[in-house]
Amino acid sequence: MADLSPSGTPDSGRAPARRLAALLLGAGIMHFVIPKQFDSIVPPRLPGRARSYTYWSGVAEIGVGTALLVPRTRRLGGRLAAVLFVAVFPANVQLVVDSLRNPRTPRLLTAVSILRLPLQLPMITQALTVGRSNPQR
């Protein structure tokens, strides 16, 4: 079923954009609330301090999430969300590697981290769909 705007016309971008925005805004805020959790998945081969990557990626997620909520910037926000999901993929892979290497990691966390990887593809696809949508003003 197509998403409808308040006027009853099809809106291919609004509801998916809101879902992506909620995800990104929530994750971005969490980068500042529990930064240690995010520091731990910054790939160690990256130069500099992990905390810098944590904060900058949090800022990026909040910025992109905000862009998705504003009709004038929704298409750009969709494209930026796709780029962001690709950019953070190495951190998601690092989480899996760390979970598998540490025998004390709870099985649920390991399972979730593994199952999360293939979910990146539909998130990227959804972001690109929003990036091609017709914004409703």
Short mmCIF file of all heavy atoms in Angstrom, two decimals, residues 1-73:
data_model
loop_
_atom_site.label_atom_id
_atom_site.label_comp_id
_atom_site.label_asym_id
_atom_site.label_seq_id
_atom_site.Cartn_x
_atom_site.Cartn_y
_atom_site.Cartn_z
N MET A 1 0.85 -1.18 0.00
CA MET A 1 0.00 0.00 0.00
C MET A 1 0.89 1.23 0.00
O MET A 1 1.83 1.36 0.76
CB MET A 1 -0.90 -0.04 1.23
CG MET A 1 -1.79 1.15 1.35
SD MET A 1 -2.87 0.94 2.78
CE MET A 1 -4.15 2.01 2.30
N ALA A 2 0.56 2.18 -0.85
CA ALA A 2 1.35 3.41 -0.97
C ALA A 2 1.10 4.31 0.22
O ALA A 2 0.01 4.37 0.76
CB ALA A 2 1.00 4.14 -2.26
N ASP A 3 2.14 5.00 0.64
CA ASP A 3 1.98 6.01 1.67
C ASP A 3 1.27 7.21 1.05
O ASP A 3 1.53 7.56 -0.10
CB ASP A 3 3.35 6.45 2.20
CG ASP A 3 4.06 5.32 2.91
OD1 ASP A 3 3.40 4.63 3.71
OD2 ASP A 3 5.26 5.14 2.65
N LEU A 4 0.36 7.82 1.81
CA LEU A 4 -0.38 8.96 1.30
C LEU A 4 -0.03 10.21 2.07
O LEU A 4 0.21 10.17 3.27
CB LEU A 4 -1.89 8.71 1.40
CG LEU A 4 -2.44 7.51 0.62
CD1 LEU A 4 -3.93 7.38 0.86
CD2 LEU A 4 -2.15 7.64 -0.86
N SER A 5 0.01 11.31 1.35
CA SER A 5 0.22 12.60 1.99
C SER A 5 -1.11 13.02 2.62
O SER A 5 -2.14 12.40 2.37
CB SER A 5 0.69 13.63 0.95
OG SER A 5 -0.39 13.94 0.10
N PRO A 6 -1.12 14.11 3.40
CA PRO A 6 -2.39 14.57 4.00
C PRO A 6 -3.46 14.87 2.96
O PRO A 6 -4.65 14.76 3.25
CB PRO A 6 -2.00 15.83 4.77
CG PRO A 6 -0.55 15.64 5.08
CD PRO A 6 0.01 14.87 3.91
N SER A 7 -3.06 15.21 1.75
CA SER A 7 -4.05 15.51 0.72
C SER A 7 -4.57 14.26 0.04
O SER A 7 -5.43 14.33 -0.82
CB SER A 7 -3.43 16.45 -0.34
OG SER A 7 -2.40 15.76 -1.02
N GLY A 8 -4.06 13.08 0.43
CA GLY A 8 -4.52 11.83 -0.16
C GLY A 8 -3.74 11.42 -1.40
O GLY A 8 -4.09 10.44 -2.03
N THR A 9 -2.71 12.17 -1.77
CA THR A 9 -1.91 11.81 -2.93
C THR A 9 -0.77 10.91 -2.52
O THR A 9 -0.31 10.96 -1.39
CB THR A 9 -1.34 13.08 -3.62
OG1 THR A 9 -0.55 13.77 -2.66
CG2 THR A 9 -2.45 13.97 -4.13
N PRO A 10 -0.31 10.05 -3.43
CA PRO A 10 0.80 9.16 -3.08
C PRO A 10 2.04 9.94 -2.66
O PRO A 10 2.37 10.96 -3.24
CB PRO A 10 1.06 8.38 -4.37
CG PRO A 10 -0.21 8.49 -5.15
CD PRO A 10 -0.80 9.83 -4.79
N ASP A 11 2.69 9.47 -1.62
CA ASP A 11 3.92 10.08 -1.13
C ASP A 11 4.93 8.96 -0.91
O ASP A 11 4.90 8.29 0.11
CB ASP A 11 3.65 10.84 0.17
CG ASP A 11 4.91 11.51 0.71
OD1 ASP A 11 5.94 11.50 0.02
OD2 ASP A 11 4.84 12.04 1.83
N SER A 12 5.79 8.77 -1.87
CA SER A 12 6.73 7.65 -1.81
C SER A 12 7.88 7.89 -0.85
O SER A 12 8.60 6.98 -0.52
CB SER A 12 7.28 7.36 -3.20
OG SER A 12 7.99 8.49 -3.68
N GLY A 13 8.05 9.12 -0.37
CA GLY A 13 9.21 9.40 0.45
C GLY A 13 8.96 9.75 1.90
O GLY A 13 9.83 9.58 2.73
N ARG A 14 7.79 10.23 2.24
CA ARG A 14 7.58 10.76 3.58
C ARG A 14 7.68 9.71 4.68
O ARG A 14 8.47 9.87 5.62
CB ARG A 14 6.23 11.47 3.67
CG ARG A 14 6.03 12.11 5.03
CD ARG A 14 4.75 12.87 5.12
NE ARG A 14 4.86 14.03 4.24
CZ ARG A 14 3.83 14.69 3.78
NH1 ARG A 14 2.62 14.31 4.08
NH2 ARG A 14 3.99 15.74 3.01
N ALA A 15 6.90 8.64 4.62
CA ALA A 15 6.91 7.64 5.70
C ALA A 15 8.27 6.92 5.80
O ALA A 15 8.81 6.80 6.89
CB ALA A 15 5.77 6.64 5.53
N PRO A 16 8.84 6.47 4.68
CA PRO A 16 10.17 5.86 4.78
C PRO A 16 11.21 6.84 5.31
O PRO A 16 12.09 6.47 6.09
CB PRO A 16 10.50 5.43 3.35
CG PRO A 16 9.19 5.31 2.67
CD PRO A 16 8.30 6.34 3.31
N ALA A 17 11.10 8.10 4.92
CA ALA A 17 12.04 9.10 5.41
C ALA A 17 11.90 9.29 6.91
O ALA A 17 12.90 9.42 7.62
CB ALA A 17 11.82 10.44 4.68
N ARG A 18 10.68 9.27 7.40
CA ARG A 18 10.46 9.41 8.84
C ARG A 18 11.04 8.23 9.60
O ARG A 18 11.61 8.39 10.68
CB ARG A 18 8.97 9.56 9.14
CG ARG A 18 8.44 10.92 8.78
CD ARG A 18 6.98 11.03 9.14
NE ARG A 18 6.48 12.34 8.77
CZ ARG A 18 5.22 12.63 8.61
NH1 ARG A 18 4.29 11.70 8.81
NH2 ARG A 18 4.84 13.84 8.27
N ARG A 19 10.86 7.03 9.05
CA ARG A 19 11.42 5.84 9.71
C ARG A 19 12.95 5.91 9.75
O ARG A 19 13.57 5.65 10.78
CB ARG A 19 10.96 4.56 9.00
CG ARG A 19 9.50 4.22 9.27
CD ARG A 19 9.14 2.86 8.74
NE ARG A 19 9.21 2.75 7.30
CZ ARG A 19 8.21 3.01 6.47
NH1 ARG A 19 7.03 3.39 6.95
NH2 ARG A 19 8.35 2.87 5.17
N LEU A 20 13.55 6.26 8.62
CA LEU A 20 15.01 6.38 8.58
C LEU A 20 15.49 7.51 9.51
O LEU A 20 16.50 7.37 10.20
CB LEU A 20 15.49 6.65 7.15
CG LEU A 20 15.42 5.48 6.19
CD1 LEU A 20 15.74 5.96 4.76
CD2 LEU A 20 16.35 4.37 6.61
N ALA A 21 14.74 8.61 9.53
CA ALA A 21 15.11 9.73 10.39
C ALA A 21 15.07 9.31 11.85
O ALA A 21 15.98 9.64 12.62
CB ALA A 21 14.18 10.92 10.14
N ALA A 22 14.03 8.59 12.25
CA ALA A 22 13.93 8.14 13.64
C ALA A 22 15.11 7.24 13.99
O ALA A 22 15.71 7.39 15.07
CB ALA A 22 12.61 7.41 13.85
N LEU A 23 15.45 6.35 13.11
CA LEU A 23 16.58 5.45 13.33
C LEU A 23 17.87 6.24 13.48
O LEU A 23 18.64 6.03 14.42
CB LEU A 23 16.70 4.46 12.16
CG LEU A 23 17.90 3.55 12.18
CD1 LEU A 23 17.68 2.40 13.15
CD2 LEU A 23 18.15 3.01 10.78
N LEU A 24 18.12 7.16 12.56
CA LEU A 24 19.35 7.93 12.57
C LEU A 24 19.42 8.91 13.74
O LEU A 24 20.47 9.04 14.38
CB LEU A 24 19.54 8.67 11.25
CG LEU A 24 19.89 7.77 10.07
CD1 LEU A 24 19.73 8.52 8.75
CD2 LEU A 24 21.30 7.23 10.22
N LEU A 25 18.33 9.57 14.03
CA LEU A 25 18.33 10.51 15.17
C LEU A 25 18.55 9.76 16.48
O LEU A 25 19.32 10.20 17.33
CB LEU A 25 17.03 11.31 15.20
CG LEU A 25 16.87 12.34 14.08
CD1 LEU A 25 15.43 12.87 14.04
CD2 LEU A 25 17.86 13.48 14.24
N GLY A 26 17.88 8.63 16.63
CA GLY A 26 18.07 7.83 17.84
C GLY A 26 19.50 7.34 17.98
O GLY A 26 20.12 7.47 19.06
N ALA A 27 20.05 6.80 16.90
CA ALA A 27 21.43 6.31 16.95
C ALA A 27 22.40 7.46 17.17
O ALA A 27 23.35 7.33 17.95
CB ALA A 27 21.77 5.59 15.65
N GLY A 28 22.17 8.58 16.52
CA GLY A 28 23.06 9.73 16.67
C GLY A 28 23.09 10.24 18.11
O GLY A 28 24.15 10.53 18.65
N ILE A 29 21.93 10.32 18.73
CA ILE A 29 21.86 10.75 20.12
C ILE A 29 22.60 9.76 21.02
O ILE A 29 23.33 10.16 21.93
CB ILE A 29 20.39 10.94 20.56
CG1 ILE A 29 19.80 12.15 19.84
CG2 ILE A 29 20.28 11.06 22.07
CD1 ILE A 29 18.29 12.26 19.93
N MET A 30 22.44 8.48 20.75
CA MET A 30 23.10 7.46 21.57
C MET A 30 24.62 7.56 21.50
O MET A 30 25.31 7.17 22.44
CB MET A 30 22.63 6.06 21.18
CG MET A 30 21.15 5.82 21.46
SD MET A 30 20.62 6.27 23.13
CE MET A 30 21.45 5.03 24.07
N HIS A 31 25.15 8.09 20.41
CA HIS A 31 26.61 8.29 20.30
C HIS A 31 27.13 9.23 21.40
O HIS A 31 28.28 9.13 21.80
CB HIS A 31 26.99 8.87 18.93
CG HIS A 31 27.04 7.85 17.85
ND1 HIS A 31 25.93 7.23 17.36
CD2 HIS A 31 28.08 7.36 17.14
CE1 HIS A 31 26.28 6.39 16.40
NE2 HIS A 31 27.59 6.44 16.25
N PHE A 32 26.26 10.10 21.87
CA PHE A 32 26.65 11.05 22.92
C PHE A 32 26.24 10.56 24.31
O PHE A 32 26.85 10.93 25.30
CB PHE A 32 26.04 12.43 22.64
CG PHE A 32 26.58 13.02 21.37
CD1 PHE A 32 25.92 12.87 20.17
CD2 PHE A 32 27.79 13.71 21.38
CE1 PHE A 32 26.44 13.39 18.99
CE2 PHE A 32 28.32 14.24 20.21
CZ PHE A 32 27.64 14.07 19.01
N VAL A 33 25.21 9.73 24.38
CA VAL A 33 24.73 9.21 25.66
C VAL A 33 25.62 8.07 26.15
O VAL A 33 25.98 8.02 27.33
CB VAL A 33 23.26 8.75 25.54
CG1 VAL A 33 22.79 8.07 26.82
CG2 VAL A 33 22.35 9.93 25.20
N ILE A 34 25.98 7.15 25.25
CA ILE A 34 26.82 6.00 25.62
C ILE A 34 27.98 5.87 24.63
O ILE A 34 28.09 4.88 23.91
CB ILE A 34 26.00 4.69 25.70
CG1 ILE A 34 25.19 4.45 24.41
CG2 ILE A 34 25.12 4.65 26.93
CD1 ILE A 34 24.60 3.06 24.31
N PRO A 35 28.86 6.86 24.59
CA PRO A 35 29.92 6.85 23.57
C PRO A 35 30.87 5.66 23.67
O PRO A 35 31.39 5.22 22.63
CB PRO A 35 30.66 8.17 23.80
CG PRO A 35 30.35 8.54 25.21
CD PRO A 35 28.97 8.02 25.47
N LYS A 36 31.09 5.12 24.86
CA LYS A 36 32.02 3.99 24.99
C LYS A 36 31.57 2.80 24.15
O LYS A 36 32.41 2.08 23.59
CB LYS A 36 32.14 3.55 26.45
CG LYS A 36 33.07 4.36 27.27
CD LYS A 36 33.18 3.76 28.65
CE LYS A 36 34.49 4.16 29.28
NZ LYS A 36 34.67 3.53 30.57
N GLN A 37 30.27 2.59 24.06
CA GLN A 37 29.76 1.47 23.26
C GLN A 37 30.14 1.64 21.79
O GLN A 37 30.44 0.67 21.10
CB GLN A 37 28.23 1.37 23.39
CG GLN A 37 27.75 1.13 24.79
CD GLN A 37 28.18 -0.23 25.31
OE1 GLN A 37 28.24 -1.20 24.59
NE2 GLN A 37 28.49 -0.28 26.60
N PHE A 38 30.13 2.86 21.32
CA PHE A 38 30.47 3.12 19.92
C PHE A 38 31.98 3.18 19.71
O PHE A 38 32.48 2.76 18.68
CB PHE A 38 29.79 4.42 19.45
CG PHE A 38 28.29 4.29 19.40
CD1 PHE A 38 27.52 4.67 20.48
CD2 PHE A 38 27.66 3.76 18.29
CE1 PHE A 38 26.14 4.54 20.46
CE2 PHE A 38 26.28 3.62 18.25
CZ PHE A 38 25.52 4.01 19.34
N ASP A 39 32.69 3.70 20.72
CA ASP A 39 34.16 3.71 20.64
C ASP A 39 34.69 2.30 20.40
O ASP A 39 35.64 2.10 19.65
CB ASP A 39 34.78 4.23 21.94
CG ASP A 39 34.51 5.69 22.22
OD1 ASP A 39 34.02 6.41 21.33
OD2 ASP A 39 34.79 6.11 23.36
N SER A 40 34.06 1.33 21.06
CA SER A 40 34.57 -0.03 21.01
C SER A 40 34.46 -0.69 19.64
O SER A 40 35.13 -1.67 19.38
CB SER A 40 33.85 -0.90 22.05
OG SER A 40 32.50 -1.10 21.69
N ILE A 41 33.62 -0.16 18.76
CA ILE A 41 33.49 -0.78 17.43
C ILE A 41 34.16 0.02 16.32
O ILE A 41 34.06 -0.35 15.16
CB ILE A 41 32.01 -1.07 17.08
CG1 ILE A 41 31.17 0.20 16.98
CG2 ILE A 41 31.41 -2.05 18.08
CD1 ILE A 41 29.78 -0.01 16.42
N VAL A 42 34.83 1.10 16.70
CA VAL A 42 35.61 1.83 15.69
C VAL A 42 36.77 0.93 15.29
O VAL A 42 37.53 0.47 16.14
CB VAL A 42 36.13 3.18 16.25
CG1 VAL A 42 37.08 3.84 15.26
CG2 VAL A 42 34.96 4.10 16.58
N PRO A 43 36.89 0.63 14.00
CA PRO A 43 37.99 -0.25 13.58
C PRO A 43 39.34 0.30 14.05
O PRO A 43 39.65 1.49 13.85
CB PRO A 43 37.89 -0.25 12.05
CG PRO A 43 36.43 0.03 11.79
CD PRO A 43 36.03 1.00 12.89
N PRO A 44 40.15 -0.52 14.70
CA PRO A 44 41.40 -0.04 15.28
C PRO A 44 42.42 0.45 14.25
O PRO A 44 43.32 1.21 14.60
CB PRO A 44 41.94 -1.27 16.04
CG PRO A 44 41.23 -2.43 15.48
CD PRO A 44 39.92 -1.94 14.95
N ARG A 45 42.26 0.08 13.01
CA ARG A 45 43.23 0.53 12.00
C ARG A 45 43.02 1.98 11.56
O ARG A 45 43.83 2.55 10.86
CB ARG A 45 43.20 -0.41 10.80
CG ARG A 45 41.90 -0.39 10.04
CD ARG A 45 41.85 -1.49 8.96
NE ARG A 45 40.53 -1.68 8.45
CZ ARG A 45 39.57 -2.40 9.02
NH1 ARG A 45 39.79 -2.98 10.17
NH2 ARG A 45 38.39 -2.52 8.48
N LEU A 46 41.91 2.59 12.00
CA LEU A 46 41.68 3.99 11.66
C LEU A 46 42.59 4.88 12.51
O LEU A 46 42.78 4.62 13.70
CB LEU A 46 40.21 4.37 11.90
CG LEU A 46 39.20 3.75 10.95
CD1 LEU A 46 37.78 4.11 11.38
CD2 LEU A 46 39.44 4.19 9.52
N PRO A 47 43.13 5.94 11.91
CA PRO A 47 44.02 6.82 12.68
C PRO A 47 43.23 7.69 13.66
O PRO A 47 42.05 7.95 13.46
CB PRO A 47 44.67 7.68 11.60
CG PRO A 47 43.68 7.70 10.48
CD PRO A 47 42.99 6.35 10.52
N GLY A 48 43.88 8.13 14.70
CA GLY A 48 43.24 9.04 15.64
C GLY A 48 42.51 8.32 16.75
O GLY A 48 42.60 7.10 16.90
N ARG A 49 41.78 9.10 17.52
CA ARG A 49 41.05 8.57 18.67
C ARG A 49 39.67 8.05 18.26
O ARG A 49 38.97 8.70 17.48
CB ARG A 49 40.87 9.67 19.71
CG ARG A 49 42.18 10.13 20.33
CD ARG A 49 41.99 11.19 21.39
NE ARG A 49 40.75 10.97 22.13
CZ ARG A 49 39.95 11.94 22.54
NH1 ARG A 49 40.24 13.20 22.28
NH2 ARG A 49 38.85 11.68 23.21
N ALA A 50 39.30 6.93 18.83
CA ALA A 50 37.99 6.35 18.55
C ALA A 50 36.86 7.31 18.91
O ALA A 50 35.86 7.41 18.19
CB ALA A 50 37.83 5.03 19.30
N ARG A 51 37.02 8.05 20.01
CA ARG A 51 35.96 8.96 20.45
C ARG A 51 35.65 10.02 19.40
O ARG A 51 34.50 10.43 19.23
CB ARG A 51 36.37 9.61 21.79
CG ARG A 51 35.34 10.50 22.43
CD ARG A 51 34.03 9.81 22.82
NE ARG A 51 34.16 8.63 23.61
CZ ARG A 51 34.09 8.57 24.93
NH1 ARG A 51 33.92 9.66 25.63
NH2 ARG A 51 34.19 7.40 25.54
N SER A 52 36.66 10.46 18.68
CA SER A 52 36.42 11.44 17.61
C SER A 52 35.49 10.86 16.55
O SER A 52 34.56 11.54 16.09
CB SER A 52 37.73 11.87 16.97
OG SER A 52 38.54 12.54 17.90
N TYR A 53 35.73 9.61 16.16
CA TYR A 53 34.86 8.95 15.17
C TYR A 53 33.45 8.78 15.74
O TYR A 53 32.46 8.94 15.01
CB TYR A 53 35.44 7.60 14.76
CG TYR A 53 36.69 7.73 13.92
CD1 TYR A 53 37.95 7.60 14.49
CD2 TYR A 53 36.61 7.99 12.56
CE1 TYR A 53 39.10 7.73 13.73
CE2 TYR A 53 37.75 8.13 11.78
CZ TYR A 53 38.99 7.99 12.38
OH TYR A 53 40.12 8.13 11.61
N THR A 54 33.37 8.45 17.01
CA THR A 54 32.07 8.28 17.65
C THR A 54 31.28 9.58 17.59
O THR A 54 30.11 9.59 17.17
CB THR A 54 32.24 7.84 19.12
OG1 THR A 54 32.84 6.54 19.13
CG2 THR A 54 30.92 7.79 19.85
N TYR A 55 31.90 10.68 18.00
CA TYR A 55 31.19 11.95 18.00
C TYR A 55 30.86 12.44 16.59
O TYR A 55 29.74 12.90 16.33
CB TYR A 55 31.98 13.01 18.76
CG TYR A 55 31.97 12.85 20.26
CD1 TYR A 55 32.99 13.37 21.03
CD2 TYR A 55 30.94 12.18 20.92
CE1 TYR A 55 32.99 13.23 22.42
CE2 TYR A 55 30.93 12.04 22.30
CZ TYR A 55 31.96 12.56 23.04
OH TYR A 55 31.96 12.43 24.40
N TRP A 56 31.81 12.35 15.67
CA TRP A 56 31.55 12.82 14.32
C TRP A 56 30.48 12.00 13.62
O TRP A 56 29.64 12.54 12.89
CB TRP A 56 32.83 12.89 13.48
CG TRP A 56 33.64 14.09 13.81
CD1 TRP A 56 34.86 14.12 14.42
CD2 TRP A 56 33.29 15.45 13.56
NE1 TRP A 56 35.28 15.43 14.58
CE2 TRP A 56 34.34 16.26 14.07
CE3 TRP A 56 32.19 16.08 12.99
CZ2 TRP A 56 34.31 17.64 13.99
CZ3 TRP A 56 32.17 17.47 12.92
CH2 TRP A 56 33.21 18.23 13.41
N SER A 57 30.48 10.68 13.85
CA SER A 57 29.43 9.87 13.23
C SER A 57 28.07 10.17 13.88
O SER A 57 27.04 10.15 13.21
CB SER A 57 29.76 8.38 13.29
OG SER A 57 29.88 7.93 14.61
N GLY A 58 28.07 10.48 15.18
CA GLY A 58 26.83 10.90 15.83
C GLY A 58 26.29 12.19 15.25
O GLY A 58 25.09 12.32 14.98
N VAL A 59 27.17 13.15 15.04
CA VAL A 59 26.77 14.41 14.41
C VAL A 59 26.23 14.16 13.01
O VAL A 59 25.19 14.72 12.62
CB VAL A 59 27.97 15.41 14.36
CG1 VAL A 59 27.67 16.59 13.46
CG2 VAL A 59 28.33 15.88 15.77
N ALA A 60 26.90 13.29 12.26
CA ALA A 60 26.45 12.98 10.90
C ALA A 60 25.07 12.33 10.92
O ALA A 60 24.19 12.68 10.12
CB ALA A 60 27.46 12.05 10.20
N GLU A 61 24.85 11.40 11.84
CA GLU A 61 23.55 10.74 11.91
C GLU A 61 22.44 11.72 12.28
O GLU A 61 21.35 11.67 11.71
CB GLU A 61 23.61 9.57 12.89
CG GLU A 61 24.42 8.41 12.32
CD GLU A 61 24.55 7.24 13.26
OE1 GLU A 61 24.35 7.39 14.49
OE2 GLU A 61 24.89 6.15 12.76
N ILE A 62 22.72 12.60 13.22
CA ILE A 62 21.71 13.60 13.60
C ILE A 62 21.45 14.56 12.43
O ILE A 62 20.30 14.89 12.14
CB ILE A 62 22.16 14.36 14.87
CG1 ILE A 62 22.13 13.41 16.08
CG2 ILE A 62 21.29 15.59 15.11
CD1 ILE A 62 22.80 13.95 17.33
N GLY A 63 22.50 14.98 11.76
CA GLY A 63 22.32 15.88 10.61
C GLY A 63 21.55 15.25 9.48
O GLY A 63 20.63 15.86 8.92
N VAL A 64 21.88 14.02 9.15
CA VAL A 64 21.18 13.32 8.05
C VAL A 64 19.73 13.03 8.46
O VAL A 64 18.81 13.20 7.66
CB VAL A 64 21.93 12.04 7.65
CG1 VAL A 64 21.11 11.21 6.66
CG2 VAL A 64 23.28 12.39 7.04
N GLY A 65 19.54 12.62 9.71
CA GLY A 65 18.17 12.39 10.19
C GLY A 65 17.32 13.64 10.09
O GLY A 65 16.16 13.59 9.68
N THR A 66 17.89 14.76 10.44
CA THR A 66 17.18 16.04 10.35
C THR A 66 16.87 16.37 8.89
O THR A 66 15.76 16.80 8.56
CB THR A 66 18.01 17.17 11.00
OG1 THR A 66 18.24 16.81 12.37
CG2 THR A 66 17.29 18.50 10.92
N ALA A 67 17.83 16.15 8.01
CA ALA A 67 17.61 16.42 6.58
C ALA A 67 16.46 15.58 6.03
O ALA A 67 15.71 16.04 5.16
CB ALA A 67 18.89 16.16 5.79
N LEU A 68 16.31 14.38 6.53
CA LEU A 68 15.22 13.50 6.07
C LEU A 68 13.84 14.02 6.49
O LEU A 68 12.84 13.72 5.84
CB LEU A 68 15.42 12.09 6.61
CG LEU A 68 16.53 11.28 5.95
CD1 LEU A 68 16.90 10.08 6.80
CD2 LEU A 68 16.14 10.87 4.54
N LEU A 69 13.78 14.77 7.56
CA LEU A 69 12.49 15.26 8.06
C LEU A 69 12.02 16.53 7.36
O LEU A 69 10.83 16.85 7.41
CB LEU A 69 12.59 15.53 9.56
CG LEU A 69 12.77 14.29 10.43
CD1 LEU A 69 12.97 14.71 11.89
CD2 LEU A 69 11.58 13.35 10.29
N VAL A 70 12.93 17.24 6.72
CA VAL A 70 12.59 18.51 6.08
C VAL A 70 12.31 18.25 4.60
O VAL A 70 13.19 17.76 3.88
CB VAL A 70 13.75 19.53 6.24
CG1 VAL A 70 13.42 20.82 5.53
CG2 VAL A 70 14.06 19.75 7.71
N PRO A 71 11.10 18.54 4.12
CA PRO A 71 10.77 18.24 2.73
C PRO A 71 11.78 18.78 1.71
O PRO A 71 12.12 18.09 0.75
CB PRO A 71 9.40 18.89 2.53
CG PRO A 71 8.79 18.86 3.90
CD PRO A 71 9.94 19.10 4.84
N ARG A 72 12.29 19.98 1.93
CA ARG A 72 13.23 20.57 0.96
C ARG A 72 14.57 19.84 0.89
O ARG A 72 15.26 19.91 -0.11
CB ARG A 72 13.48 22.04 1.29
CG ARG A 72 12.22 22.87 1.16
CD ARG A 72 12.54 24.28 1.39
NE ARG A 72 12.97 24.84 0.10
CZ ARG A 72 13.24 26.09 -0.11
NH1 ARG A 72 13.19 26.94 0.87
NH2 ARG A 72 13.61 26.50 -1.30
N THR A 73 14.93 19.14 1.96
CA THR A 73 16.23 18.44 2.00
C THR A 73 16.08 16.92 2.05
O THR A 73 17.06 16.21 2.20
CB THR A 73 17.06 18.91 3.21
OG1 THR A 73 16.32 18.66 4.42
CG2 THR A 73 17.41 20.39 3.10
#
